[in-house]
């Protein structure tokens, strides 16, 4: 029979970090420990559990069935401990903070919804994590709500997903471009602004064009859709964006000159916490409803 009095509880922090990162090396960096120290801690926990917990894979490590089961209990225990720590009477109450990741042109919509539902005593922070780290940050409580392209949630992360109404990419432009492209050849030749909140990666349109050996003429890359909007009224540039974003920015738009529309499947992701009283989940659903209403209004 396992007894927690015989277990170094620090080993569970090591286990949780490895489970989240799926890599002993990355987990060590997260905890500030060397790889030998992490491996030694994992070996001790394996002996205590009587199971390898993780097996090597081409991407790092993969949890065993016992590892997945243990992870669920460890996550709930840590969340309960964090909530208990926050409620200690001697602790000064911290200002509650909502951390949201979304494109900048949607931030006013998110902020308006958040302030109505949460009140003025909350602090709202917008930032963009790396896409590969976003789900980890949701699971760890460093990010509360994520609006991003629809993707598979890693198994065991406890993250909920609300699908946003479907959208499609369009070619959009400002007042400076008098004659927008009509053919595929003109579209590919037209200098465009590439808008991406992250430094790397291709949008679905570029992936579709790449399958045909085609490329757009990217003249400028920016991380802010609002910055791109200012450029489009001053320079004869175009931009390829989801239709919803183009409408929000007040841009003229038209369908892409492709045989089939390129979809932009998006979703809102959140990880419900034990101590938030359902506020994050309620806010995520309210934001999804606002996006539906926005489509109807536009």
């Amino acid at each position: 029979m396992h007894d927690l009095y015989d277990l170094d509880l620090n080993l569970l922090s090591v286990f949780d970090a490895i489970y989240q990162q799926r890599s002993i090396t990355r987990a060590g960096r997260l905890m500030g420990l060397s790889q030998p120290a992490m491996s030694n801690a994992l070996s001790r926990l394996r002996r205590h559990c009587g199971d390898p917990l993780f097996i090597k894979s081409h991407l790092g490590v993969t949890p065993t069935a016992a590892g997945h089961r243990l992870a669920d209990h460890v996550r709930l225990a840590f969340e309960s401990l964090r909530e208990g720590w926050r409620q200690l009477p001697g602790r000064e109450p911290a200002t509650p903070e909502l951390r949201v990741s979304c494109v900048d042109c949607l931030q006013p919509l998110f902020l308006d919804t958040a302030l109505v539902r949460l009140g003025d005593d909350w602090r709202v922070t917008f930032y963009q994590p790396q896409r590969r780290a976003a789900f980890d940050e949701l699971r760890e409580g460093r990010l509360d709500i994520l609006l991003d392209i629809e993707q598979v949630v890693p198994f065991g992360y406890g993250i909920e997903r609300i699908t946003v109404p479907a959208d499609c990419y369009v070619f959009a432009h400002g007042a400076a471009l008098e004659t927008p492209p009509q053919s595929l050849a003109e579209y590919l030749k037209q200098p465009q602004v590439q808008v991406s909140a992250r430094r790397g990666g291709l949008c679905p349109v570029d992936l579709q064009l790449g399958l045909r050996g085609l490329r757009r003429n990217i003249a400028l890359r920016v991380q802010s859709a609002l910055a791109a909007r200012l450029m489009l009224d001053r320079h004869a540039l175009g931009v390829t964006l989801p239709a919803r974003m183009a409408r929000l920015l007040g841009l003229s738009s038209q369908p892409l000159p492709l045989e089939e529309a390129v979809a932009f499947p998006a979703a809102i992701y959140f990880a419900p916490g034990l101590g938030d009283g359902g506020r994050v989940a309620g806010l995520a659903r309210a934001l999804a409803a606002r996006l539906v209403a926005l489509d109807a209004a536009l």
Side-chain angles (χ1 to χ4, degrees), residues 141-177:
R142 291 183 286 158
L143 179 65
D144 297 303
I145 295 177
L146 168 70
L147 173 62
D148 203 355
I149 193 166
E150 192 168 16
Q151 51 197 301
V152 176
V153 177
F155 177 79
Y157 269 43
I159 294 172
E160 295 191 25
R161 175 177 60 196
I162 303 174
T163 301
V164 174
D167 202 358
C168 291
Y169 282 89
V170 296
F171 176 82
H173 61 92
L177 184 61

Side-chain angles (χ1 to χ4, degrees), residues 102-113:
C102 70
V103 293
D104 56 351
C105 64
L106 286 176
Q107 289 177 8
L109 177 72
F110 273 49
L111 184 60
D112 181 56
T113 307

Side-chain angles (χ1 to χ4, degrees), residues 231-283:
M231 297 295 295
L232 293 173
D233 274 341
R234 301 174 184 176
H235 304 276
L237 299 168
V239 63
T240 298
L241 291 172
R244 183 182 294 119
M245 193 181 301
R247 293 194 297 269
L248 273 172
L249 293 170
L251 295 170
S252 301
S253 65
Q254 62 189 45
L256 296 179
L258 302 175
E259 296 174 358
E260 295 182 359
V262 179
F264 177 70
I268 295 174
Y269 303 88
F270 64 97
L274 291 178
D276 69 1
R279 285 175 295 214
V280 169
L283 177 58

Side-chain angles (χ1 to χ4, degrees), residues 102-105 128 193-200 220-228:
C102 70
V103 293
D104 56 351
C105 64
Q128 284 293 92
V193 180
Q194 172 72 50
V195 179
S196 176
R198 297 175 175 88
R199 285 187 283 180
L220 179 66
R221 299 179 188 273
V222 298
Q223 291 184 298
S224 166
L226 295 176

